Amino acid sequence: MRHPNIIPLIGNHEYMGLTCLRFLMKEITEDSLPKLDMNIYEKLLNWQYNGCTTTLDEFRKLDMESRQEIITYIEDFTLYEELTVKDRDYILVHAGLGNFDPERELADYDIHELVWERPDYNKAYFDDIYVVTGHTPTQLIPENDRPGYIFRKNHHIAIDCGACFFGGRLGAICLDTDEEFYSTANTRE
């Protein structure tokens, strides 16, 4: 939030969290509880299933103004970013371009297609554009012979190196130099 040179992309966890955090900003009383919309209840359960505990615990420690600042910040996340670095074009997106069609404009993809749908790494979407994605840990890409490292194939660059897995790590790529960077392996059990 304090680094203006960072352009955050919304992912599935931020998307799930945003809906739930907005709801949790409201006062929950004995009167409002029976009126709880089952849709929001299901969203809360889904977010919990997907690991919200640490985020929620930290969020609850904040004052109301700080909580609102975080919600406003997340609301400004972009769905994708198009950029050119050293004459190479990139699309940065959290998950992929679900239901990909080369004739389709990026603005026509819905949020589900951008934050949940995994790319088809066996298919080059573009001849001259690289699609950089997270969301799919490289350990789960069947044709990847280097699980836990950045995966490149058919103009796809997958950078989720499975930090949530034992032996996983955070991965990053510098588009200026094409260098890869990694945290140490996650040795949690």
Side-chain angles (χ1 to χ4, degrees), residues 42-59:
E42 288 175 13
K43 289 180 180 190
L44 287 164
L45 285 177
N46 187 39
W47 191 39
Q48 183 177 21
Y49 175 77
N50 282 281
C52 77
T53 304
T54 303
T55 301
L56 199 49
D57 289 347
E58 293 300 315
F59 191 75

Side-chain angles (χ1 to χ4, degrees), residues 15-168:
Y15 182 68
M16 287 184 288
L18 186 57
T19 302
C20 296
L21 292 175
R22 283 182 188 137
F23 170 75
L24 294 172
M25 288 288 286
K26 299 175 184 174
E27 184 178 6
I28 300 173
T29 65
E30 286 183 26
D31 292 334
S32 68
L33 205 51
K35 299 173 188 172
L36 180 64
D37 179 6
M38 286 307 290
N39 188 32
I40 191 66
Y41 179 71
E42 288 175 13
K43 289 180 180 190
L44 287 164
L45 285 177
N46 187 39
W47 191 39
Q48 183 177 21
Y49 175 77
N50 282 281
C52 77
T53 304
T54 303
T55 301
L56 199 49
D57 289 347
E58 293 300 315
F59 191 75
R60 286 181 177 148
K61 292 177 187 176
L62 300 173
D63 60 58
M64 290 301 276
E65 184 178 328
S66 297
R67 291 177 187 183
Q68 188 56 55
E69 281 180 36
I70 288 171
I71 289 171
T72 301
Y73 176 69
I74 296 171
E75 287 172 336
D76 287 339
F77 283 16
T78 187
L79 287 170
Y80 59 86
E81 186 70 24
E82 296 178 89
L83 54 111
T84 301
V85 178
K86 294 196 171 190
D87 297 322
R88 197 184 244 184
D89 294 325
Y90 296 92
I91 296 171
L92 311 179
V93 62
H94 175 73
L97 303 174
N99 301 309
F100 176 75
D101 179 340
E103 302 301 315
R104 195 170 176 193
E105 297 291 324
L106 283 175
D108 294 335
Y109 287 89
D110 66 35
I111 192 158
H112 182 80
E113 294 169 315
L114 299 172
V115 304
W116 286 102
E117 301 261 337
R118 300 184 193 283
D120 180 353
Y121 297 110
N122 291 312
K123 178 180 181 181
Y125 289 173
F126 306 99
D127 293 331
D128 55 351
I129 300 172
Y130 290 80
V131 180
V132 181
T133 58
H135 188 65
T136 302
T138 60
Q139 293 90 328
L140 302 180
I141 301 171
E143 58 272 17
N144 183 9
D145 60 359
R146 291 182 53 214
Y149 291 88
I150 291 172
F151 176 76
R152 300 167 189 244
K153 183 178 178 182
N154 293 323
H155 285 98
H156 291 281
I157 303 173
I159 64 170
D160 183 335
C161 296
C164 62
F165 296 141
F166 180 78

Side-chain angles (χ1 to χ4, degrees), residues 147-188:
Y149 291 88
I150 291 172
F151 176 76
R152 300 167 189 244
K153 183 178 178 182
N154 293 323
H155 285 98
H156 291 281
I157 303 173
I159 64 170
D160 183 335
C161 296
C164 62
F165 296 141
F166 180 78
R169 66 193 87 242
L170 292 175
I173 186 168
C174 176
L175 298 179
D176 289 317
T177 64
D178 213 31
E179 291 176 278
E180 297 177 9
F181 300 91
Y182 299 93
S183 68
T184 56
N186 175 357
T187 56
R188 295 179 304 175

